[in-house]
Amino acid sequence: MSTPTQSRSLDAIAIVGPTASGKTAAALALAQALQARGGAEIISMDSALVYRGMDIGTAKPSRDELAAVPHHLIDTLDPLQSYSAAEFARDATRLIGEIHVRGRMPLLVGGTMLYLKALLEGLNDIPAANPQVREAIQARAAQVGWPALHAELAQVDPESAARLAPGDSQRVGRALEVWTATGQTLSSFHQCAKASAPDWHIPVLSLEPLDRSWLHHRIAQRFERMMAQGFMDEVRLLRKRGDLHPDLPSMRCVGYRQAWQGLDDDRSEKEIAERGIFATRQLAKRQITWLRSMDHRQVIAADTPDVLTQWVAQVRRELTP
């Protein structure tokens, strides 16, 4: 099995994969293996883990896990706030430098592929959100539906439309917002960014199951465990604040969106869990599709534990001076 080692020193190691594939455990195992080399620090690459008060539904690392290895970009924002891929790229760039100064290896860990794309392919000059344009787009979506707006996006920005699901309201809306506000496509901004991307040396290690049913089983198990741990009480507490609403990025996170809607519709916890599990499986499917477009990634069979154990041991041998 190949490892990320080359003659040139690494800027960081990225550990990615679909939700519930075991990224946290893999990162902790690798961090432990790197102790002889000065240790490691984990930079969370997850758009949900940045939010405080959203612990159960995000499967946030436990206190013991957080204490075992220094973690960054977890619990940094209130759910009322938003966090962009560009902000992640800037924060991660700063953190990578700081972690190297401490003599440790940065581990980028998570499944938010857009964050990794922004870091590896560079930042762009996409304008900030325009509330008036966004409201107008959302009003149109309420009338004709997001699939119709996705069709409109395909006419003006076919590249962006091709990589976005018709029901991905957040990203379809953003792409249309950029086009409406600037007359330029979102994909054109991404292309400009790619041309000026930093020369990172960051191997991408991807945990992907050989058997999709293995992942589906883990997703169902994890969601059922979250429900038993009090996920619905967590969502009720967030609703009770009074300043949050389902259109916020935090409340659109998979699981929270289905729980919020389920409470609005007075659905049973069983129905909410079923909808949450289905939505999480759909998320995993999108993540796997995105990962397969990354030809440079190194795939680790997530459902073959011995493979991961052997790989971590090999990395430790090759990276330890």
mmCIF file of all heavy atoms in Angstrom, residues 181-227:
data_model
loop_
_atom_site.group_PDB
_atom_site.id
_atom_site.type_symbol
_atom_site.label_atom_id
_atom_site.label_comp_id
_atom_site.label_asym_id
_atom_site.label_seq_id
_atom_site.Cartn_x
_atom_site.Cartn_y
_atom_site.Cartn_z
ATOM 1 N N ALA A 181 -25.321 39.016 -9.329
ATOM 2 C CA ALA A 181 -24.648 40.195 -8.781
ATOM 3 C C ALA A 181 -23.473 40.664 -9.624
ATOM 4 O O ALA A 181 -23.164 41.863 -9.652
ATOM 5 C CB ALA A 181 -24.181 39.912 -7.352
ATOM 6 N N THR A 182 -22.807 39.736 -10.327
ATOM 7 C CA THR A 182 -21.567 40.099 -11.017
ATOM 8 C C THR A 182 -21.601 39.902 -12.527
ATOM 9 O O THR A 182 -20.767 40.475 -13.238
ATOM 10 C CB THR A 182 -20.397 39.255 -10.476
ATOM 11 O OG1 THR A 182 -20.579 37.884 -10.857
ATOM 12 C CG2 THR A 182 -20.308 39.356 -8.957
ATOM 13 N N GLY A 183 -22.548 39.055 -13.020
ATOM 14 C CA GLY A 183 -22.534 38.734 -14.430
ATOM 15 C C GLY A 183 -21.455 37.727 -14.793
ATOM 16 O O GLY A 183 -21.239 37.434 -15.974
ATOM 17 N N GLN A 184 -20.768 37.196 -13.784
ATOM 18 C CA GLN A 184 -19.749 36.175 -13.990
ATOM 19 C C GLN A 184 -20.190 34.879 -13.309
ATOM 20 O O GLN A 184 -20.879 34.907 -12.298
ATOM 21 C CB GLN A 184 -18.407 36.619 -13.403
ATOM 22 C CG GLN A 184 -17.845 37.891 -14.016
ATOM 23 C CD GLN A 184 -16.514 38.271 -13.384
ATOM 24 O OE1 GLN A 184 -15.561 37.500 -13.437
ATOM 25 N NE2 GLN A 184 -16.441 39.429 -12.782
ATOM 26 N N THR A 185 -19.763 33.766 -13.872
ATOM 27 C CA THR A 185 -20.165 32.485 -13.308
ATOM 28 C C THR A 185 -19.307 32.139 -12.099
ATOM 29 O O THR A 185 -18.148 32.558 -11.990
ATOM 30 C CB THR A 185 -20.038 31.359 -14.338
ATOM 31 O OG1 THR A 185 -18.655 31.197 -14.689
ATOM 32 C CG2 THR A 185 -20.852 31.664 -15.578
ATOM 33 N N LEU A 186 -19.889 31.353 -11.222
ATOM 34 C CA LEU A 186 -19.143 30.875 -10.060
ATOM 35 C C LEU A 186 -17.960 30.030 -10.505
ATOM 36 O O LEU A 186 -16.865 30.100 -9.930
ATOM 37 C CB LEU A 186 -20.070 30.058 -9.162
ATOM 38 C CG LEU A 186 -19.502 29.567 -7.832
ATOM 39 C CD1 LEU A 186 -19.107 30.730 -6.949
ATOM 40 C CD2 LEU A 186 -20.521 28.685 -7.120
ATOM 41 N N SER A 187 -18.151 29.219 -11.536
ATOM 42 C CA SER A 187 -17.061 28.366 -12.028
ATOM 43 C C SER A 187 -15.888 29.189 -12.548
ATOM 44 O O SER A 187 -14.730 28.781 -12.425
ATOM 45 C CB SER A 187 -17.576 27.422 -13.113
ATOM 46 O OG SER A 187 -18.179 28.142 -14.168
ATOM 47 N N SER A 188 -16.161 30.369 -13.107
ATOM 48 C CA SER A 188 -15.062 31.203 -13.605
ATOM 49 C C SER A 188 -14.209 31.726 -12.456
ATOM 50 O O SER A 188 -12.987 31.829 -12.572
ATOM 51 C CB SER A 188 -15.604 32.375 -14.429
ATOM 52 O OG SER A 188 -16.281 33.320 -13.614
ATOM 53 N N PHE A 189 -14.851 32.046 -11.331
ATOM 54 C CA PHE A 189 -14.093 32.460 -10.153
ATOM 55 C C PHE A 189 -13.211 31.317 -9.658
ATOM 56 O O PHE A 189 -12.059 31.527 -9.266
ATOM 57 C CB PHE A 189 -15.034 32.915 -9.039
ATOM 58 C CG PHE A 189 -15.590 34.298 -9.218
ATOM 59 C CD1 PHE A 189 -16.881 34.485 -9.671
ATOM 60 C CD2 PHE A 189 -14.827 35.417 -8.937
ATOM 61 C CE1 PHE A 189 -17.407 35.764 -9.828
ATOM 62 C CE2 PHE A 189 -15.339 36.701 -9.095
ATOM 63 C CZ PHE A 189 -16.637 36.876 -9.541
ATOM 64 N N HIS A 190 -13.759 30.101 -9.660
ATOM 65 C CA HIS A 190 -12.994 28.940 -9.213
ATOM 66 C C HIS A 190 -11.793 28.689 -10.124
ATOM 67 O O HIS A 190 -10.701 28.333 -9.657
ATOM 68 C CB HIS A 190 -13.875 27.695 -9.179
ATOM 69 C CG HIS A 190 -14.898 27.707 -8.080
ATOM 70 N ND1 HIS A 190 -14.628 28.227 -6.829
ATOM 71 C CD2 HIS A 190 -16.174 27.259 -8.031
ATOM 72 C CE1 HIS A 190 -15.696 28.094 -6.059
ATOM 73 N NE2 HIS A 190 -16.656 27.516 -6.771
ATOM 74 N N GLN A 191 -11.976 28.904 -11.433
ATOM 75 C CA GLN A 191 -10.878 28.687 -12.378
ATOM 76 C C GLN A 191 -9.750 29.686 -12.149
ATOM 77 O O GLN A 191 -8.566 29.323 -12.205
ATOM 78 C CB GLN A 191 -11.406 28.793 -13.810
ATOM 79 C CG GLN A 191 -12.272 27.614 -14.223
ATOM 80 C CD GLN A 191 -13.056 27.873 -15.487
ATOM 81 O OE1 GLN A 191 -12.951 28.949 -16.098
ATOM 82 N NE2 GLN A 191 -13.871 26.906 -15.899
ATOM 83 N N CYS A 192 -10.115 30.930 -11.859
ATOM 84 C CA CYS A 192 -9.098 31.946 -11.566
ATOM 85 C C CYS A 192 -8.325 31.588 -10.304
ATOM 86 O O CYS A 192 -7.113 31.763 -10.218
ATOM 87 C CB CYS A 192 -9.751 33.322 -11.406
ATOM 88 S SG CYS A 192 -10.391 34.018 -12.942
ATOM 89 N N ALA A 193 -9.053 31.081 -9.312
ATOM 90 C CA ALA A 193 -8.407 30.697 -8.066
ATOM 91 C C ALA A 193 -7.435 29.546 -8.292
ATOM 92 O O ALA A 193 -6.336 29.516 -7.746
ATOM 93 C CB ALA A 193 -9.468 30.291 -7.044
ATOM 94 N N LYS A 194 -7.847 28.599 -9.129
ATOM 95 C CA LYS A 194 -7.012 27.427 -9.383
ATOM 96 C C LYS A 194 -5.699 27.825 -10.039
ATOM 97 O O LYS A 194 -4.648 27.235 -9.763
ATOM 98 C CB LYS A 194 -7.790 26.447 -10.268
ATOM 99 C CG LYS A 194 -7.221 25.043 -10.276
ATOM 100 C CD LYS A 194 -8.195 24.090 -10.948
ATOM 101 C CE LYS A 194 -7.686 22.652 -10.847
ATOM 102 N NZ LYS A 194 -8.652 21.699 -11.448
ATOM 103 N N ALA A 195 -5.754 28.848 -10.894
ATOM 104 C CA ALA A 195 -4.555 29.287 -11.590
ATOM 105 C C ALA A 195 -3.524 29.878 -10.640
ATOM 106 O O ALA A 195 -2.322 29.864 -10.919
ATOM 107 C CB ALA A 195 -4.931 30.316 -12.659
ATOM 108 N N SER A 196 -3.986 30.407 -9.498
ATOM 109 C CA SER A 196 -3.075 31.023 -8.540
ATOM 110 C C SER A 196 -2.989 30.219 -7.242
ATOM 111 O O SER A 196 -2.689 30.757 -6.188
ATOM 112 C CB SER A 196 -3.534 32.453 -8.225
ATOM 113 O OG SER A 196 -4.861 32.449 -7.709
ATOM 114 N N ALA A 197 -3.280 28.916 -7.318
ATOM 115 C CA ALA A 197 -3.303 28.074 -6.127
ATOM 116 C C ALA A 197 -1.917 27.949 -5.515
ATOM 117 O O ALA A 197 -0.907 27.929 -6.223
ATOM 118 C CB ALA A 197 -3.824 26.691 -6.497
ATOM 119 N N PRO A 198 -1.836 27.866 -4.187
ATOM 120 C CA PRO A 198 -0.539 27.687 -3.523
ATOM 121 C C PRO A 198 0.032 26.312 -3.834
ATOM 122 O O PRO A 198 -0.695 25.363 -4.158
ATOM 123 C CB PRO A 198 -0.887 27.819 -2.034
ATOM 124 C CG PRO A 198 -2.339 27.473 -1.948
ATOM 125 C CD PRO A 198 -2.952 27.951 -3.221
ATOM 126 N N ASP A 199 1.350 26.209 -3.742
ATOM 127 C CA ASP A 199 2.024 24.958 -4.067
ATOM 128 C C ASP A 199 2.105 24.082 -2.818
ATOM 129 O O ASP A 199 3.172 23.863 -2.247
ATOM 130 C CB ASP A 199 3.424 25.252 -4.611
ATOM 131 C CG ASP A 199 4.142 23.993 -5.058
ATOM 132 O OD1 ASP A 199 3.443 23.006 -5.375
ATOM 133 O OD2 ASP A 199 5.387 23.987 -5.089
ATOM 134 N N TRP A 200 0.947 23.559 -2.401
ATOM 135 C CA TRP A 200 0.898 22.714 -1.210
ATOM 136 C C TRP A 200 1.434 21.317 -1.506
ATOM 137 O O TRP A 200 1.268 20.798 -2.617
ATOM 138 C CB TRP A 200 -0.544 22.558 -0.718
ATOM 139 C CG TRP A 200 -1.183 23.750 -0.090
ATOM 140 C CD1 TRP A 200 -2.282 24.430 -0.568
ATOM 141 C CD2 TRP A 200 -0.835 24.378 1.143
ATOM 142 N NE1 TRP A 200 -2.633 25.441 0.301
ATOM 143 C CE2 TRP A 200 -1.752 25.435 1.359
ATOM 144 C CE3 TRP A 200 0.167 24.157 2.088
ATOM 145 C CZ2 TRP A 200 -1.702 26.267 2.476
ATOM 146 C CZ3 TRP A 200 0.231 24.986 3.203
ATOM 147 C CH2 TRP A 200 -0.695 26.032 3.388
ATOM 148 N N HIS A 201 2.020 20.707 -0.493
ATOM 149 C CA HIS A 201 2.336 19.274 -0.563
ATOM 150 C C HIS A 201 1.495 18.597 0.513
ATOM 151 O O HIS A 201 1.945 18.385 1.654
ATOM 152 C CB HIS A 201 3.822 19.031 -0.331
ATOM 153 C CG HIS A 201 4.223 17.605 -0.528
ATOM 154 N ND1 HIS A 201 5.336 17.054 0.044
ATOM 155 C CD2 HIS A 201 3.648 16.597 -1.246
ATOM 156 C CE1 HIS A 201 5.425 15.777 -0.287
ATOM 157 N NE2 HIS A 201 4.423 15.488 -1.071
ATOM 158 N N ILE A 202 0.240 18.291 0.152
ATOM 159 C CA ILE A 202 -0.720 17.716 1.088
ATOM 160 C C ILE A 202 -1.334 16.467 0.453
ATOM 161 O O ILE A 202 -2.251 16.563 -0.366
ATOM 162 C CB ILE A 202 -1.830 18.731 1.443
ATOM 163 C CG1 ILE A 202 -1.238 19.995 2.063
ATOM 164 C CG2 ILE A 202 -2.841 18.091 2.406
ATOM 165 C CD1 ILE A 202 -2.266 21.071 2.384
ATOM 166 N N PRO A 203 -0.843 15.291 0.797
ATOM 167 C CA PRO A 203 -1.476 14.068 0.279
ATOM 168 C C PRO A 203 -2.875 13.915 0.852
ATOM 169 O O PRO A 203 -3.136 14.296 1.996
ATOM 170 C CB PRO A 203 -0.551 12.960 0.776
ATOM 171 C CG PRO A 203 0.148 13.541 1.956
ATOM 172 C CD PRO A 203 0.302 15.008 1.664
ATOM 173 N N VAL A 204 -3.770 13.381 0.053
ATOM 174 C CA VAL A 204 -5.163 13.193 0.457
ATOM 175 C C VAL A 204 -5.414 11.702 0.633
ATOM 176 O O VAL A 204 -5.347 10.927 -0.326
ATOM 177 C CB VAL A 204 -6.130 13.782 -0.588
ATOM 178 C CG1 VAL A 204 -7.575 13.537 -0.173
ATOM 179 C CG2 VAL A 204 -5.868 15.273 -0.767
ATOM 180 N N LEU A 205 -5.700 11.303 1.865
ATOM 181 C CA LEU A 205 -5.960 9.910 2.203
ATOM 182 C C LEU A 205 -7.456 9.752 2.407
ATOM 183 O O LEU A 205 -8.035 10.396 3.280
ATOM 184 C CB LEU A 205 -5.196 9.517 3.467
ATOM 185 C CG LEU A 205 -3.723 9.962 3.483
ATOM 186 C CD1 LEU A 205 -3.085 9.645 4.821
ATOM 187 C CD2 LEU A 205 -2.950 9.318 2.344
ATOM 188 N N SER A 206 -8.073 8.920 1.613
ATOM 189 C CA SER A 206 -9.538 8.830 1.588
ATOM 190 C C SER A 206 -10.034 7.482 2.103
ATOM 191 O O SER A 206 -9.723 6.430 1.536
ATOM 192 C CB SER A 206 -10.040 9.054 0.155
ATOM 193 O OG SER A 206 -11.445 9.031 0.104
ATOM 194 N N LEU A 207 -10.810 7.523 3.196
ATOM 195 C CA LEU A 207 -11.428 6.318 3.754
ATOM 196 C C LEU A 207 -12.717 6.038 2.991
ATOM 197 O O LEU A 207 -13.692 6.775 3.112
ATOM 198 C CB LEU A 207 -11.734 6.529 5.234
ATOM 199 C CG LEU A 207 -10.529 6.552 6.176
ATOM 200 C CD1 LEU A 207 -10.907 7.208 7.492
ATOM 201 C CD2 LEU A 207 -10.027 5.149 6.418
ATOM 202 N N GLU A 208 -12.713 4.987 2.190
ATOM 203 C CA GLU A 208 -13.874 4.645 1.376
ATOM 204 C C GLU A 208 -14.192 3.158 1.529
ATOM 205 O O GLU A 208 -13.300 2.325 1.420
ATOM 206 C CB GLU A 208 -13.610 4.983 -0.097
ATOM 207 C CG GLU A 208 -13.318 6.463 -0.328
ATOM 208 C CD GLU A 208 -12.924 6.770 -1.753
ATOM 209 O OE1 GLU A 208 -13.379 6.034 -2.666
ATOM 210 O OE2 GLU A 208 -12.158 7.732 -1.966
ATOM 211 N N PRO A 209 -15.455 2.814 1.790
ATOM 212 C CA PRO A 209 -15.800 1.402 1.981
ATOM 213 C C PRO A 209 -15.838 0.635 0.665
ATOM 214 O O PRO A 209 -16.233 1.166 -0.369
ATOM 215 C CB PRO A 209 -17.196 1.470 2.605
ATOM 216 C CG PRO A 209 -17.778 2.747 2.056
ATOM 217 C CD PRO A 209 -16.616 3.701 1.960
ATOM 218 N N LEU A 210 -15.424 -0.619 0.737
ATOM 219 C CA LEU A 210 -15.563 -1.487 -0.425
ATOM 220 C C LEU A 210 -17.021 -1.889 -0.610
ATOM 221 O O LEU A 210 -17.493 -2.062 -1.717
ATOM 222 C CB LEU A 210 -14.693 -2.743 -0.242
ATOM 223 C CG LEU A 210 -13.186 -2.507 -0.115
ATOM 224 C CD1 LEU A 210 -12.484 -3.819 0.214
ATOM 225 C CD2 LEU A 210 -12.633 -1.902 -1.395
ATOM 226 N N ASP A 211 -17.734 -2.010 0.513
ATOM 227 C CA ASP A 211 -19.134 -2.431 0.522
ATOM 228 C C ASP A 211 -19.989 -1.270 1.032
ATOM 229 O O ASP A 211 -19.880 -0.878 2.195
ATOM 230 C CB ASP A 211 -19.301 -3.653 1.429
ATOM 231 C CG ASP A 211 -20.729 -4.188 1.446
ATOM 232 O OD1 ASP A 211 -21.607 -3.595 0.780
ATOM 233 O OD2 ASP A 211 -20.971 -5.197 2.146
ATOM 234 N N ARG A 212 -20.814 -0.696 0.148
ATOM 235 C CA ARG A 212 -21.630 0.471 0.535
ATOM 236 C C ARG A 212 -22.592 0.140 1.673
ATOM 237 O O ARG A 212 -22.922 1.007 2.482
ATOM 238 C CB ARG A 212 -22.401 0.973 -0.680
ATOM 239 C CG ARG A 212 -23.089 2.322 -0.503
ATOM 240 C CD ARG A 212 -22.106 3.467 -0.506
ATOM 241 N NE ARG A 212 -21.406 3.577 -1.773
ATOM 242 C CZ ARG A 212 -21.824 4.316 -2.800
ATOM 243 N NH1 ARG A 212 -22.959 4.988 -2.715
ATOM 244 N NH2 ARG A 212 -21.119 4.390 -3.914
ATOM 245 N N SER A 213 -23.037 -1.125 1.767
ATOM 246 C CA SER A 213 -23.966 -1.489 2.839
ATOM 247 C C SER A 213 -23.311 -1.363 4.213
ATOM 248 O O SER A 213 -23.986 -1.109 5.211
ATOM 249 C CB SER A 213 -24.490 -2.917 2.632
ATOM 250 O OG SER A 213 -23.446 -3.866 2.731
ATOM 251 N N TRP A 214 -22.000 -1.551 4.281
ATOM 252 C CA TRP A 214 -21.263 -1.356 5.541
ATOM 253 C C TRP A 214 -21.425 0.077 6.029
ATOM 254 O O TRP A 214 -21.675 0.322 7.212
ATOM 255 C CB TRP A 214 -19.786 -1.697 5.322
ATOM 256 C CG TRP A 214 -18.880 -1.420 6.489
ATOM 257 C CD1 TRP A 214 -18.581 -2.267 7.517
ATOM 258 C CD2 TRP A 214 -18.129 -0.221 6.732
ATOM 259 N NE1 TRP A 214 -17.697 -1.665 8.393
ATOM 260 C CE2 TRP A 214 -17.406 -0.402 7.926
ATOM 261 C CE3 TRP A 214 -18.001 0.996 6.050
ATOM 262 C CZ2 TRP A 214 -16.566 0.564 8.464
ATOM 263 C CZ3 TRP A 214 -17.169 1.976 6.583
ATOM 264 C CH2 TRP A 214 -16.459 1.759 7.769
ATOM 265 N N LEU A 215 -21.296 1.015 5.109
ATOM 266 C CA LEU A 215 -21.428 2.425 5.477
ATOM 267 C C LEU A 215 -22.866 2.741 5.872
ATOM 268 O O LEU A 215 -23.108 3.467 6.845
ATOM 269 C CB LEU A 215 -20.991 3.308 4.308
ATOM 270 C CG LEU A 215 -20.942 4.815 4.598
ATOM 271 C CD1 LEU A 215 -19.913 5.128 5.672
ATOM 272 C CD2 LEU A 215 -20.623 5.592 3.317
ATOM 273 N N HIS A 216 -23.827 2.214 5.135
ATOM 274 C CA HIS A 216 -25.234 2.450 5.466
ATOM 275 C C HIS A 216 -25.559 1.942 6.870
ATOM 276 O O HIS A 216 -26.292 2.594 7.620
ATOM 277 C CB HIS A 216 -26.133 1.757 4.434
ATOM 278 C CG HIS A 216 -26.116 2.428 3.099
ATOM 279 N ND1 HIS A 216 -26.810 1.937 2.015
ATOM 280 C CD2 HIS A 216 -25.487 3.560 2.671
ATOM 281 C CE1 HIS A 216 -26.612 2.736 0.972
ATOM 282 N NE2 HIS A 216 -25.810 3.718 1.345
ATOM 283 N N HIS A 217 -25.008 0.803 7.219
ATOM 284 C CA HIS A 217 -25.239 0.244 8.554
ATOM 285 C C HIS A 217 -24.638 1.156 9.627
ATOM 286 O O HIS A 217 -25.274 1.410 10.661
ATOM 287 C CB HIS A 217 -24.637 -1.151 8.638
ATOM 288 C CG HIS A 217 -24.808 -1.811 9.973
ATOM 289 N ND1 HIS A 217 -26.045 -2.175 10.470
ATOM 290 C CD2 HIS A 217 -23.889 -2.147 10.926
ATOM 291 C CE1 HIS A 217 -25.886 -2.726 11.667
ATOM 292 N NE2 HIS A 217 -24.595 -2.715 11.971
ATOM 293 N N ARG A 218 -23.452 1.650 9.396
ATOM 294 C CA ARG A 218 -22.797 2.545 10.368
ATOM 295 C C ARG A 218 -23.570 3.862 10.509
ATOM 296 O O ARG A 218 -23.703 4.400 11.611
ATOM 297 C CB ARG A 218 -21.353 2.820 9.939
ATOM 298 C CG ARG A 218 -20.400 1.687 10.265
ATOM 299 C CD ARG A 218 -19.012 1.983 9.720
ATOM 300 N NE ARG A 218 -18.413 3.175 10.283
ATOM 301 C CZ ARG A 218 -17.602 3.188 11.349
ATOM 302 N NH1 ARG A 218 -17.333 2.048 11.984
ATOM 303 N NH2 ARG A 218 -17.058 4.311 11.768
ATOM 304 N N ILE A 219 -24.081 4.375 9.390
ATOM 305 C CA ILE A 219 -24.864 5.613 9.445
ATOM 306 C C ILE A 219 -26.108 5.412 10.297
ATOM 307 O O ILE A 219 -26.434 6.244 11.152
ATOM 308 C CB ILE A 219 -25.232 6.071 8.013
ATOM 309 C CG1 ILE A 219 -23.990 6.615 7.298
ATOM 310 C CG2 ILE A 219 -26.342 7.129 8.048
ATOM 311 C CD1 ILE A 219 -24.203 6.887 5.824
ATOM 312 N N ALA A 220 -26.813 4.300 10.065
ATOM 313 C CA ALA A 220 -28.020 4.024 10.844
ATOM 314 C C ALA A 220 -27.687 3.839 12.312
ATOM 315 O O ALA A 220 -28.377 4.385 13.197
ATOM 316 C CB ALA A 220 -28.714 2.780 10.297
ATOM 317 N N GLN A 221 -26.636 3.107 12.612
ATOM 318 C CA GLN A 221 -26.230 2.884 13.995
ATOM 319 C C GLN A 221 -25.897 4.198 14.688
ATOM 320 O O GLN A 221 -26.298 4.431 15.836
ATOM 321 C CB GLN A 221 -25.010 1.962 14.049
ATOM 322 C CG GLN A 221 -25.320 0.479 14.059
ATOM 323 C CD GLN A 221 -24.097 -0.337 14.394
ATOM 324 O OE1 GLN A 221 -22.969 -0.007 14.023
ATOM 325 N NE2 GLN A 221 -24.302 -1.435 15.111
ATOM 326 N N ARG A 222 -25.161 5.042 13.990
ATOM 327 C CA ARG A 222 -24.745 6.307 14.598
ATOM 328 C C ARG A 222 -25.939 7.217 14.843
ATOM 329 O O ARG A 222 -26.035 7.863 15.888
ATOM 330 C CB ARG A 222 -23.707 7.017 13.718
ATOM 331 C CG ARG A 222 -23.098 8.227 14.410
ATOM 332 C CD ARG A 222 -21.955 8.819 13.634
ATOM 333 N NE ARG A 222 -22.405 9.576 12.481
ATOM 334 C CZ ARG A 222 -21.593 10.267 11.691
ATOM 335 N NH1 ARG A 222 -20.287 10.257 11.908
ATOM 336 N NH2 ARG A 222 -22.064 10.930 10.666
ATOM 337 N N PHE A 223 -26.866 7.263 13.894
ATOM 338 C CA PHE A 223 -28.024 8.136 14.081
ATOM 339 C C PHE A 223 -28.889 7.630 15.231
ATOM 340 O O PHE A 223 -29.386 8.423 16.046
ATOM 341 C CB PHE A 223 -28.856 8.233 12.795
ATOM 342 C CG PHE A 223 -29.583 9.539 12.675
ATOM 343 C CD1 PHE A 223 -29.049 10.584 11.938
ATOM 344 C CD2 PHE A 223 -30.788 9.752 13.328
ATOM 345 C CE1 PHE A 223 -29.710 11.804 11.843
ATOM 346 C CE2 PHE A 223 -31.452 10.963 13.242
ATOM 347 C CZ PHE A 223 -30.904 11.993 12.497
ATOM 348 N N GLU A 224 -29.063 6.340 15.306
ATOM 349 C CA GLU A 224 -29.855 5.778 16.407
ATOM 350 C C GLU A 224 -29.168 6.041 17.752
ATOM 351 O O GLU A 224 -29.833 6.321 18.756
ATOM 352 C CB GLU A 224 -30.047 4.277 16.179
ATOM 353 C CG GLU A 224 -31.009 3.983 15.024
ATOM 354 C CD GLU A 224 -30.923 2.552 14.533
ATOM 355 O OE1 GLU A 224 -30.121 1.771 15.113
ATOM 356 O OE2 GLU A 224 -31.642 2.210 13.575
ATOM 357 N N ARG A 225 -27.845 5.978 17.771
ATOM 358 C CA ARG A 225 -27.102 6.275 18.997
ATOM 359 C C ARG A 225 -27.263 7.747 19.383
ATOM 360 O O ARG A 225 -27.430 8.076 20.567
ATOM 361 C CB ARG A 225 -25.633 5.927 18.795
ATOM 362 C CG ARG A 225 -24.782 6.095 20.050
ATOM 363 C CD ARG A 225 -23.417 5.443 19.888
ATOM 364 N NE ARG A 225 -22.671 5.946 18.753
ATOM 365 C CZ ARG A 225 -22.399 5.260 17.652
ATOM 366 N NH1 ARG A 225 -22.872 4.032 17.499
ATOM 367 N NH2 ARG A 225 -21.697 5.807 16.678
ATOM 368 N N MET A 226 -27.245 8.637 18.390
ATOM 369 C CA MET A 226 -27.435 10.062 18.669
ATOM 370 C C MET A 226 -28.819 10.321 19.254
ATOM 371 O O MET A 226 -28.968 11.119 20.187
ATOM 372 C CB MET A 226 -27.228 10.883 17.388
ATOM 373 C CG MET A 226 -25.793 10.887 16.881
ATOM 374 S SD MET A 226 -25.457 12.067 15.540
ATOM 375 C CE MET A 226 -26.748 11.692 14.369
ATOM 376 N N MET A 227 -29.819 9.650 18.707
ATOM 377 C CA MET A 227 -31.176 9.815 19.234
ATOM 378 C C MET A 227 -31.234 9.365 20.690
ATOM 379 O O MET A 227 -31.837 10.028 21.546
ATOM 380 C CB MET A 227 -32.167 9.024 18.392
ATOM 381 C CG MET A 227 -32.311 9.508 16.954
ATOM 382 S SD MET A 227 -33.056 11.150 16.797
ATOM 383 C CE MET A 227 -34.805 10.756 16.982
#
